[in-house]
Amino acid sequence: MKKNFKNSMQFFARFLGLNQDCKEQIEEEKKFVTYKVVDMENKKIGFEVTLRGEKHTFTPEQVMAYYLKKVKTYFEKAGMPSKEIVISVPSYATNSERQAYLDAAEIAGIQCIRLINESTACALTYGFFRKNDLDADKPRTVAFVDFGHSKLSVTFASFTKGKMKILGTHSNKNLGARQIDLQLFDLLGGEFAKKYGCDPRGNIRCRLRLLDSIEKVRKLLTANKEADVHCESLMEDEDLHRNIKRDDLEELVAPFINDFRKCLQESLLVAGK
């Protein structure tokens, strides 16, 4: 992706169902992508890329359709051909976002027989693989916390043998690991600019390199009290070396931790716990 970042699609599913009226969410997503997001007719949005030397504009639904086609080929190679699919979507997805998934499947030539919430799909998987451990009469309540790269979802479900009931779910569509990375990126990028007079935050290639290093450090800090960020020749032949302590990171992302707690509390209320 670093060599062809202008034509590499990341987070395209986050644009499904959005139009030009969703300015706030589109601007939020633009912080994390390297391709050009453009306006199209009928208030639609698209992605402008160069393909085989020619400029093209694709809608999010078209890009998702290409993705689904690719997934379909993997199943075919594994000896499991099928023209039907069940797609899991975020529980907070609007009707327009859900319709966009259906449109993408239609473009791909695949029949989507059902859309299912990701939280429900997760709970069903748990119930299927733990069915022998479940009691027939005494319900077991399980919390599923999905803190992903771009969103947070908390779901409570009740299980008995052969039965599953979603008690409640609550999500924050803009709280994920990428927000933590962006906070560190702004901190380190600002320090680098102040020290050397050149700002890596304004250069996409430098930005990708630094974010890659930051992601590795964030993961190290889950098990270590401190870790080092290293970026050789980040910009203008200058290196970036910085020690990050876990306590400093937690202080930096304290607002996100508070948002995480709020989501947990809201999910408890929704579930009646």
Side-chain angles (χ1 to χ4, degrees):
M1 189 185 84
K2 293 175 186 175
K3 293 182 179 180
N4 191 25
F5 53 81
K6 290 183 179 180
N7 299 310
S8 298
M9 299 282 115
Q10 330 93 26
F11 303 116
F12 55 85
R14 303 273 299 180
F15 290 92
L16 285 168
L18 300 184
N19 57 39
Q20 293 170 32
D21 292 332
C22 308
K23 293 181 180 179
E24 186 176 344
Q25 188 60 36
I26 290 173
E27 290 304 313
E28 177 68 19
E29 296 306 323
K30 282 182 177 180
K31 297 177 186 176
F32 305 99
V33 301
T34 56
Y35 47 86
K36 190 175 181 180
V37 181
V38 297
D39 292 341
M40 300 178 67
E41 295 180 352
N42 300 321
K43 289 193 172 184
K44 290 186 177 182
I45 58 171
F47 310 137
E48 186 177 278
V49 296
T50 301
L51 183 64
R52 298 185 183 91
E54 296 182 2
K55 280 190 176 183
H56 296 271
T57 301
F58 299 107
T59 64
E61 290 82 1
Q62 287 176 312
V63 177
M64 176 58 78
Y66 295 140
Y67 174 79
L68 292 175
K69 280 184 178 181
K70 191 67 176 178
V71 172
K72 182 172 177 286
T73 62
Y74 291 144
F75 279 91
E76 290 173 344
K77 289 179 180 178
M80 297 182 289
S82 176
K83 291 185 178 180
E84 296 180 336
I85 191 172
V86 174
I87 300 177
S88 62
V89 300
S91 56
Y92 56 77
T94 63
N95 288 335
S96 61
E97 289 168 348
R98 293 171 189 270
Q99 184 60 51
Y101 278 94
L102 295 174
D103 292 342
E106 184 177 354
I107 293 170
I110 304 172
Q111 182 183 0
C112 179
I113 58 177
R114 184 169 182 175
L115 294 177
I116 184 172
N117 288 342
E118 291 174 353
S119 53
T120 304
C122 182
L124 283 173
T125 302
Y126 175 90
F128 179 80
F129 286 103
R130 296 294 183 92
K131 56 187 176 183
N132 295 328
D133 302 332
L134 299 174
D135 192 276
D137 301 312
K138 186 179 179 181
R140 177 189 295 181
T141 301
V142 182
F144 300 94
V145 181
D146 178 13
F147 187 79
H149 193 59
S150 61
K151 65 181 184 295
L152 167 66
S153 179
V154 182
T155 302
F156 282 87
S158 176
F159 296 89
T160 52
K161 202 171 191 67
K163 294 182 179 180
M164 183 272 289
K165 180 182 179 181
I166 298 294
L167 300 176
T169 184
H170 192 73
S171 304
N172 186 328
K173 68 185 298 182
N174 292 321
L175 178 60
R178 66 181 189 174
Q179 270 73 21
I180 296 175
D181 291 347
L182 191 62
Q183 286 290 99
L184 269 176
F185 173 75
D186 284 335
L187 173 67
L188 299 182
E191 291 179 349
F192 188 92
K194 186 176 180 180
K195 184 176 181 179
Y196 297 112
C198 51
D199 196 339
R201 293 172 295 183
N203 183 295
I204 296 180
R205 198 178 299 276
C206 296
R207 169 186 157 193
L208 291 173
R209 288 191 58 210
L210 183 52
L211 282 172
D212 187 52
S213 298
I214 286 172
E215 182 179 1
K216 292 175 183 176
V217 165
R218 169 172 51 79
K219 292 176 180 178
L220 286 172
L221 288 173
T222 61
N224 300 278
K225 291 185 177 180
E226 58 182 278
D228 295 322
V229 179
H230 294 294
C231 266
E232 302 290 340
S233 298
L234 178 61
M235 196 172 191
E236 302 290 342
D237 293 325
E238 299 291 352
D239 304 333
L240 185 149
H241 298 288
R242 175 70 146 80
N243 178 265
I244 303 290
K245 291 181 172 57
R246 189 196 299 169
D247 290 342
D248 295 334
L249 176 62
E250 290 177 355
E251 183 179 349
L252 182 68
V253 301
F256 300 139
I257 295 175
N258 289 333
D259 289 340
F260 182 88
R261 288 197 183 101
K262 288 177 184 177
C263 190
L264 289 175
Q265 292 166 354
E266 288 292 334
S267 62
L268 284 168
L269 289 173
V270 173
K273 297 294 179 180

